Amino acid sequence: MSSTISSLFLLSFGDEPTEGFTEITLREENFELQKPYNIPLEKRYSFENGTHRLWVYADDKPHDPNSPTQPRTEIRIQGLDYSSGIWQFEGCAFVPNGTSGATILQIHGASHGATTIILRIYNGAMRYYSGQIFVTDLYDKWFKVNLIHNVDEGKVTVFIDGKQVFETKDQGHGDLHFKCGVYAAPANISYYMESRWKDIKIYKKVY
């Protein structure tokens, strides 16, 4: 794993993470909501004035009665799964003070493990899974996240507010898709977890 910023990589994407990408139009059917299976959606999700608010509790059930996973309320980008090329998620996120041990953005799918990358919030800092910290002081403010996956080169890059903050190798090819919201980590989590999202966009590099 390397967080070294590559000048060649920066040049290839220009000054803006989305430069050279084509935006894909998102429709309502592209937003699949996953929430604790025994609770009505409106008890864990709201959409008002363009903002998705998603929350979950540490003792909530998983999204499926047959799943052994941790509780979540997430938006799964549906209908845009990918296995090659260069794809990008962009969105503005807000995490209230107190939310900790929550995945707020991930690329699901990989040839090694279940995910390509997980971005978690612990005590206001963003981590790669439960490891390296690359941004701090994120509580109670809006910040823009750009997550780029170059499948062909096996590389994942994270931008916060337009600045590259992290880069790493991916976990191999797979049936890949983006998810955002709150998904409890295996340990060291707050009882209540919440994130808010707006201006969600998906881009693809078209040659």
Side-chain angles (χ1 to χ4, degrees), residues 170-189:
D170 69 10
Q171 308 293 333
H173 290 234
D175 183 14
L176 307 159
H177 57 267
F178 297 102
K179 301 178 76 176
C180 65
V182 277
Y183 175 36
N188 301 317
I189 62 176

Side-chain angles (χ1 to χ4, degrees), residues 79-96:
L80 293 172
D81 292 16
Y82 63 95
S83 58
S84 62
I86 307 175
W87 290 75
Q88 180 172 181
F89 173 99
E90 178 180 85
C92 293
F94 182 99
V95 181

Side-chain angles (χ1 to χ4, degrees), residues 137-152:
D137 192 29
L138 291 177
Y139 279 150
D140 295 335
K141 61 178 148 186
W142 287 100
F143 55 93
K144 186 168 74 171
V145 185
N146 292 79
L147 177 58
I148 299 173
H149 188 190
N150 186 329
V151 184
D152 301 332

Side-chain angles (χ1 to χ4, degrees), residues 27-43:
R27 297 179 172 84
E28 187 176 348
E29 56 264 29
N30 296 122
F31 293 79
E32 177 191 333
L33 272 298
Q34 298 179 345
K35 48 79 179 177
Y37 71 82
N38 62 332
I39 296 175
L41 181 61
E42 63 269 19
K43 298 289 187 181

Side-chain angles (χ1 to χ4, degrees), residues 83-113:
S83 58
S84 62
I86 307 175
W87 290 75
Q88 180 172 181
F89 173 99
E90 178 180 85
C92 293
F94 182 99
V95 181
N97 195 333
T99 290
S100 193
T103 295
I104 64 165
L105 180 60
Q106 63 169 299
I107 297 174
H108 191 275
S111 60
H112 309 293

Side-chain angles (χ1 to χ4, degrees), residues 11-127:
L11 285 172
S12 70
F13 285 107
D15 293 332
E16 290 292 331
T18 58
E19 186 174 330
F21 284 79
T22 299
E23 183 178 351
I24 297 174
T25 300
L26 294 178
R27 297 179 172 84
E28 187 176 348
E29 56 264 29
N30 296 122
F31 293 79
E32 177 191 333
L33 272 298
Q34 298 179 345
K35 48 79 179 177
Y37 71 82
N38 62 332
I39 296 175
L41 181 61
E42 63 269 19
K43 298 289 187 181
R44 294 293 182 271
Y45 169 81
S46 69
F47 181 69
E48 187 174 354
N49 298 323
T51 298
H52 304 268
R53 178 173 169 248
L54 308 99
W55 65 97
V56 76
Y57 294 89
D59 55 3
D60 276 344
K61 300 291 186 183
H63 69 295
D64 185 290
N66 298 313
S67 174
T69 58
Q70 290 285 88
R72 74 185 73 195
T73 304
E74 290 184 298
I75 295 170
R76 187 246 204 251
I77 301 299
Q78 180 70 267
L80 293 172
D81 292 16
Y82 63 95
S83 58
S84 62
I86 307 175
W87 290 75
Q88 180 172 181
F89 173 99
E90 178 180 85
C92 293
F94 182 99
V95 181
N97 195 333
T99 290
S100 193
T103 295
I104 64 165
L105 180 60
Q106 63 169 299
I107 297 174
H108 191 275
S111 60
H112 309 293
T115 57
T116 289
I117 188 170
I118 272 181
L119 303 183
R120 280 197 189 124
I121 299 294
Y122 286 96
N123 301 315
M126 183 178 286
R127 291 178 179 258

